[in-house]
Amino acid sequence: MSQHPWTGGFVHEALGVRIISDPSALLPVEDLVGLALRRNPRRAHLLVSRVLAKHVPTEPALVLAAGELLGTLAGAALGSTVDSAVLRSVAADLQQVLRGEDTTAHDDAAGPGAVRPPRTRLQYARETLWDLPVSHPEVVTIGYAETATGLGRLVADTLGSYYIHSTRHAPAGAVAYGAFEEAHSHATSHRLLPTDPAALNSNAPVVLVDDELSTGATVINTIAELHAAAPHPLYVVATLIDLRSDPDRARFDELAAGLDCEIKVVALGTGRIELGEDILARAQELISTLPGTATEPAAAATASPEATASPEAPGTVDVLDLGAITTRRLRSDRFGNPAGVSSDYLGTLPEALPGAVSGEHLAYIAARIRDMLPDSDAPVLVLGCEEFIHVPLTVANALAEALQSGQVRFSTTTRSPIVPIDRPDYAINTSVDFASHDVTEDGPGPRHAYNVGPRRGPAGRVDPGAGTAAPVAAGFGSIVLLPEPGTELASITGPGSVTEALRAVTGAVVVVLMPADVPAPDAWPAPPAAVPLTGPEFGSYAAEDVTWLLKDLRDAQLEAPTAEREAAIQSGGANYAESLPMEYLPSAQYQDLYAEALVRSAPRVAAAVGTVTEMALAARNNEPVLVSLARAGTPIGILMRRWAQRMHGLDLPHYTMSIVRGVGMDETALRYLAARCDPERILFVDGWTGKGAITRELTAALEKFEQSDGVRFSAQLAVLADPGHSVELFGTREDYLIPSACLNSTVSGLVSRTVFNKELIGPEDFHGAKFYAHLASADVSREFLAAVEAQFDAVRSDAVAAAASLAAADRTPTWVGWQAVERLSEEYGIHNVNLVKPGVGETTRVLLRRVPWKVLVHPAARSEVAHVLLLAEQRGVPVEEVPDLPFSCVGLIHPRFTAGAVGADGKAVAASEAGDTAASDAASVGAGE
């Protein structure tokens, strides 16, 4: 192991995180990474690479050598013949440098027993790789933002391939080719923005480059998205470390089989990681005990005196504006750039090739920077910014050559919030924090540069010693900052800025401004129109029953444990529609309950279907276009369509679309409808009302759409049951069991609840959903429809009479449901109406999808809600009888959801435990589902 303490030692000892390396890999994982603690509700730990230079200032030649070695492995996976002995020799060179061991020369020219400096050793290793035949200009290489954008370029240059990296930037007019999710990341949104998608649309093999594989979920999402747009025969995943579990590896095999393609994975280090139980909770508890780490740094904070040792006076700031010197503009790899071998090591890259800097230009830039640096032997840091990594890396390497010094290090700024702890067995010792300046999809926020300031010993002494991939103990005498090309100087200077923060930890800051070649807004092709879906390709309903205005997300990894979803929702960190609850097969006992409920309720449901359909026909002159709100409204829309067809011979169009509370209606779907239907014929359909939240959401969304698009849809909503008294078109206002509310996808066409997740849903896409085809054996969707339709003839006269009676009655909404929810919210100390779910349908959803706290039941309704009582018993949720309840039952979502709010078995805590704390925490509770 290294001469220095392993920088994962503290996290290993404090939390029991354990890395086990595969001895057959090129390099041990422990040599490639250290460990740190994240400020991230999704993931507790961070694998801090020692060869990536993202968070740890690193010898630039080490970063280049590691990237080129990974590119060579990718070339071998693509079919090149590579001598494994050469690869192991190069890996041994890297390992010696990483461990700080003496590197003895191999050639006679250096003399017997000669010792090579690390840069010389690394250059020798790189030149060994350059001789290997791994050129594959036909492939497409994709790197992941933000961490692996530079690594991806190194792999692409080794292969000589087209290269594009994903991005969180938001250039004007950009049209996304695809988007995908990185579930554990602090910022999850990835988009591909090629101005010319021809390479991505080809059938060429694809190389996906990331710094690590933990579960592989991001890669699976990416491959599914790419393959849906244009199938590729081979996907090679190139990563520095691969820590997937056996089940995760099996998912790759399943995906390859399902897509009829090949997926290969190459890595410098492989193994597995053991986190232990409750890692998130234990990590948060540990962080809370550390001095100065209780909260995340503010967006405009500068380096804290606890984390860094500042010079007596702020450092100077000088600017090298290359735009005033050269006409050459740099085109970002985020827009896609053609194949080319980087001149950083071969010197053959044409000056006109975008995405990199020519050898001659590099030498010129390095010389200009050298002339601007103070006359000092102090270490120099070259600092890239977030996604802008490869060019700053090559500049750092050229500057090291120009200075003839081993004291140049390279790293970049980042958006990842990491806890700094100043100790040698921890990977992140210091943090410099500042405000963002780039225009990104997720807007402004805090940014960070780690291990930039000097480390302090326990008594204020500067600790000695630092290797090629370790923090420089005394800090840096100068920092060379290369922001994203095209950055305005004003955006990175002044209070709260990156330059102001860096001035606090170094004597001199040199800002290098590069001119950018940014595509015009009209450079992107027009986005493809969203395409509706029908069964049996999507969903188990017949094609004539419903047209789904949804995007197929069946291959996306969206499911999350209920506890994790609830924490994200109530913390305000996520909307409920960004993920999905786990979809399980119902137990045999529960399926029996559903079957009993269907037999008992089918006549009532059929009568209500007939009543509301008769009213709907009258409201739309016998020619409504039914648009149900997926998914509770979907089976009701189908039943209404069948009633109109059977009783009146009408063949009504029926679409189903998404509405998301807090987001609104799917505007792409509304535009689709407006282009094909008379808006006055549209009638929106849902299953039932509770407090009326969706009614309000519908009204607000349609008003917004009228203002933006100039098309007016009626906000009239037809529902089967309106116990909340919030609509005028309904079949009944009784609160009874609608059997379709008992189950999830298995009674709703095997389709999930709708999803609005910006990582997967582009501006021109419909909202999404998943088709759970694997649950087909338990599907009762068509049986439910058939059971209700079988009662139509028997209830026809009653339904027609009820519709006539209601037409003459005062049906003005009184919103009694909303009033009851407000009262219950206060009585139970919740103080958040979004956590009170009234009615049988909504209570069922709470028990199936959320973290329930209590269930309130009207004593006279117990026989009607047997399935609710069973679910409550199975989940350990207390049930209270409330005689004056205006609904059959009401579900209360846990009002103070934390990791400790559920027991080890996932059941809700007892009411007495949570009641005392509910009121105090209600102000911090976010929107429920």
Side-chain angles (χ1 to χ4, degrees):
M1 197 60 187
S2 171
Q3 295 178 355
H4 303 286
W6 179 45
T7 56
F10 172 74
V11 175
H12 166 66
E13 293 295 333
L15 295 178
V17 176
R18 183 166 173 248
I19 293 176
I20 301 94
S21 292
D22 180 351
S24 65
L26 285 178
L27 288 161
V29 175
E30 299 94 327
D31 282 341
L32 293 168
V33 300
L35 293 170
L37 300 172
R38 290 176 181 255
R39 302 183 191 272
N40 184 336
R42 298 180 179 91
R43 197 175 183 189
H45 68 287
L46 178 71
L47 297 163
V48 181
S49 176
R50 300 181 65 223
V51 297
L52 192 67
K54 188 62 186 173
H55 306 112
V56 179
T58 305
E59 161 63 57
L62 177 59
V63 183
L64 293 165
E68 290 158 10
L69 178 57
L70 183 61
T72 304
L73 291 177
L78 289 165
S80 294
T81 300
V82 177
D83 187 345
S84 61
V86 175
L87 298 180
R88 293 202 172 274
S89 173
V90 171
D93 288 336
L94 267 65
Q95 185 177 49
Q96 286 183 312
V97 171
L98 284 164
R99 294 186 174 187
E101 298 170 354
D102 289 342
T103 53
T104 305
H106 292 311
D107 58 352
D108 295 335
V115 175
R116 296 182 185 275
R119 276 191 59 80
T120 305
R121 184 60 150 185
L122 292 166
Q123 184 63 22
Y124 176 86
R126 295 177 66 201
E127 290 172 357
T128 301
L129 293 173
W130 298 344
D131 291 333
L132 299 176
V134 292
S135 177
H136 287 274
E138 76 282 3
V139 308
V140 171
T141 302
I142 301 173
Y144 286 95
E146 68 178 38
T147 306
T149 60
L151 180 65
R153 166 50 78 180
L154 292 175
V155 171
D157 283 347
T158 303
L159 300 174
S161 76
Y162 170 93
Y163 179 61
I164 187 171
H165 67 70
S166 66
T167 184
R168 297 183 177 103
H169 279 235
V175 175
Y177 178 88
F180 40 91
E181 176 187 20
E182 184 179 5
H184 64 259
S185 175
H186 180 68
T188 61
S189 176
H190 290 262
R191 298 193 303 161
L192 292 176
L193 304 178
T195 52
D196 181 2
L200 293 170
N201 285 334
S202 72
N203 64 351
V206 172
V207 178
L208 299 169
V209 184
D210 208 353
D211 60 308
E212 64 170 90
L213 280 184
S214 50
T215 65
T218 306
V219 168
I220 288 175
N221 287 341
T222 307
I223 292 176
E225 182 80 16
L226 293 174
H227 211 78
H232 301 270
L234 170 64
Y235 297 88
V236 173
V237 182
T239 180
L240 294 174
I241 58 171
D242 180 3
L243 297 178
R244 290 172 300 151
S245 66
D246 290 339
D248 290 329
R249 294 171 190 271
R251 285 172 56 209
F252 274 50
D253 296 334
E254 293 166 4
L255 179 64
L259 298 180
D260 191 24
C261 67
E262 190 174 7
I263 301 175
K264 298 181 179 180
V265 179
V266 296
L268 301 190
T270 60
R272 68 181 193 273
I273 185 167
E274 296 177 354
L275 302 177
E277 298 292 332
D278 301 321
I279 182 65
L280 281 169
R282 291 188 292 112
Q284 293 305 312
E285 182 179 359
L286 173 62
I287 291 171
S288 69
T289 66
L290 300 172
T293 60
T295 58
E296 186 172 338
T302 56
S304 63
E306 292 82 4
T308 58
S310 304
E312 294 183 0
T316 60
V317 177
D318 293 299
V319 179
L320 173 59
D321 186 355
L322 295 178
I325 303 171
T326 178
T327 59
R328 189 179 196 277
R329 296 180 176 273
L330 195 64
R331 175 184 160 97
S332 172
D333 283 331
R334 69 173 57 91
F335 306 127
N337 283 320
V341 180
S342 173
S343 64
D344 174 44
Y345 51 83
L346 293 184
T348 59
L349 189 66
E351 175 75 16
L353 188 67
V357 180
S358 72
E360 181 181 348
H361 203 50
L362 268 176
Y364 172 77
I365 294 172
R368 290 295 302 267
I369 294 172
R370 178 194 59 198
D371 294 343
M372 297 178 70
L373 294 174
D375 188 9
S376 168
D377 293 331
V380 176
L381 174 67
V382 177
L383 191 66
C385 287
E386 297 189 49
E387 295 177 9
F388 186 49
I389 299 177
H390 177 254
V391 170
L393 169 62
T394 59
V395 169
N397 195 55
L399 182 62
E401 291 295 322
L403 292 174
Q404 290 294 299
S405 165
Q407 293 295 301
V408 176
R409 296 290 182 267
F410 172 72
S411 67
T412 79
T413 66
T414 178
R415 63 175 59 212
S416 298
I418 309 172
V419 178
I421 305 175
D422 190 5
R423 50 185 299 154
D425 58 351
Y426 185 79
I428 302 297
N429 302 137
T430 66
S431 173
V432 172
D433 312 305
F434 43 88
S436 63
H437 59 270
D438 292 330
V439 180
T440 57
E441 280 287 294
D442 54 350
R447 300 293 186 264
H448 320 277
Y450 295 112
N451 294 330
V452 170
R455 294 184 54 199
R456 304 292 295 180
R461 302 183 305 274
V462 174
D463 291 334
T468 57
V472 175
F476 295 96
S478 304
I479 296 177
V480 180
L481 176 69
L482 284 88
E484 186 79 32
T487 297
E488 297 289 338
L489 183 61
S491 68
I492 56 171
T493 55
S497 69
V498 58
T499 54
E500 200 69 15
L502 295 177
R503 290 180 65 203
V505 296
T506 189
V509 177
V510 176
V511 178
V512 181
L513 298 179
M514 292 185 168
D517 177 8
V518 180
D522 60 359
W524 282 271
V531 178
L533 305 169
T534 57
E537 289 77 17
F538 183 85
S540 62
Y541 292 132
E544 61 268 19
D545 275 333
V546 62
T547 298
W548 303 87
L549 301 184
L550 294 172
K551 180 179 180 179
D552 187 353
L553 300 179
R554 74 182 72 188
D555 294 317
Q557 300 301 312
L558 289 164
E559 288 78 7
T562 302
E564 183 178 317
R565 292 185 73 244
E566 194 66 47
I569 292 167
Q570 292 199 29
S571 69
N575 184 283
Y576 72 89
E578 292 181 18
S579 62
L580 290 172
M582 305 296 288
E583 192 87 11
Y584 298 108
L585 281 174
S587 67
Q589 183 183 10
Y590 192 78
Q591 290 185 72
D592 290 343
L593 254 178
Y594 162 78
E596 293 171 10
L598 180 58
V599 171
R600 185 174 66 251
S601 301
R604 291 169 83 178
V605 173
V609 167
T611 300
V612 71
T613 306
E614 294 295 328
M615 298 178 70
L617 293 173
R620 292 295 186 275
N621 194 29
N622 275 358
E623 53 178 14
V625 174
L626 303 179
V627 180
S628 57
L629 304 180
R631 73 185 166 180
T634 307
I636 307 306
I638 294 174
L639 288 168
M640 291 176 66
R641 182 183 183 278
R642 291 189 178 186
W643 179 280
Q645 189 174 49
R646 182 165 180 155
M647 302 303 174
H648 300 281
L650 299 175
D651 192 13
L652 302 181
H654 175 215
Y655 300 92
T656 196
M657 65 172 290
S658 170
I659 183 171
V660 176
R661 189 171 53 77
V663 173
M665 301 191 75
D666 180 349
E667 294 190 350
T668 300
L670 290 177
R671 293 187 185 101
Y672 180 92
L673 292 168
R676 292 161 178 81
C677 308
D678 180 356
E680 293 184 358
R681 292 179 57 195
I682 299 293
L683 178 64
F684 295 102
V685 176
D686 205 359
W688 58 83
T689 68
K691 55 180 172 285
I694 289 298
T695 308
R696 297 186 178 203
E697 190 78 46
L698 178 75
T699 302
L702 293 176
E703 288 176 353
K704 177 176 176 286
F705 186 76
E706 182 178 3
Q707 293 173 359
S708 65
D709 286 54
V711 178
R712 183 181 184 279
F713 290 100
S714 170
Q716 195 170 39
L717 178 65
V719 300
L720 187 72
D722 180 36
H725 290 245
S726 60
V727 300
E728 293 181 343
L729 295 181
F730 53 86
T732 181
R733 275 181 167 161
E734 296 180 57
D735 182 24
Y736 65 90
L737 172 61
I738 301 171
S740 60
C742 284
L743 304 174
N744 284 322
S745 68
T746 53
V747 78
S748 305
L750 294 182
V751 173
S752 73
R753 182 190 47 67
T754 60
V755 172
F756 180 70
N757 186 314
K758 288 185 178 180
E759 292 84 3
L760 301 170
I761 307 300
E764 307 301 323
D765 289 336
F766 295 134
H767 290 188
K770 296 187 72 169
F771 175 27
Y772 294 119
H774 65 285
L775 299 180
S777 62
D779 186 24
V780 295
S781 304
R782 293 196 180 198
E783 288 86 344
F784 167 72
L785 298 175
V788 175
E789 187 177 5
Q791 302 294 322
F792 281 179
D793 291 337
V795 302
R796 179 175 185 176
S797 59
D798 290 341
V800 171
S805 175
L806 286 172
D810 181 6
R811 291 170 284 125
T812 304
T814 61
W815 298 93
V816 296
W818 192 276
Q819 296 165 18
V821 165
E822 288 182 325
R823 175 174 58 81
L824 292 170
S825 176
E826 296 304 310
E827 286 181 2
Y828 283 85
I830 297 175
H831 310 298
N832 186 338
V833 295
N834 292 322
L835 302 185
V836 180
K837 301 294 184 179
V840 179
E842 292 304 302
T843 303
T844 303
R845 286 180 170 186
V846 169
L847 290 164
L848 290 175
R849 304 181 189 172
R850 304 296 291 273
V851 178
W853 181 37
K854 300 179 182 181
V855 171
L856 313 180
V857 176
H858 194 290
R862 292 187 73 93
S863 62
E864 290 281 355
V865 295
H867 77 291
V868 168
L869 300 178
L870 175 62
L871 281 175
E873 179 184 357
Q874 290 177 341
R875 297 202 63 186
V877 180
V879 176
E880 293 185 13
E881 290 192 354
V882 181
D884 61 343
L885 199 66
F887 297 91
S888 295
C889 58
V890 174
L892 304 182
I893 295 172
H894 204 294
R896 185 174 185 252
F897 188 81
T898 64
V902 291
D905 58 357
K907 297 179 180 178
V909 298
S912 59
E913 294 179 274
D916 294 338
T917 57
S920 64
D921 231 54
S924 65
V925 174
E929 184 169 346

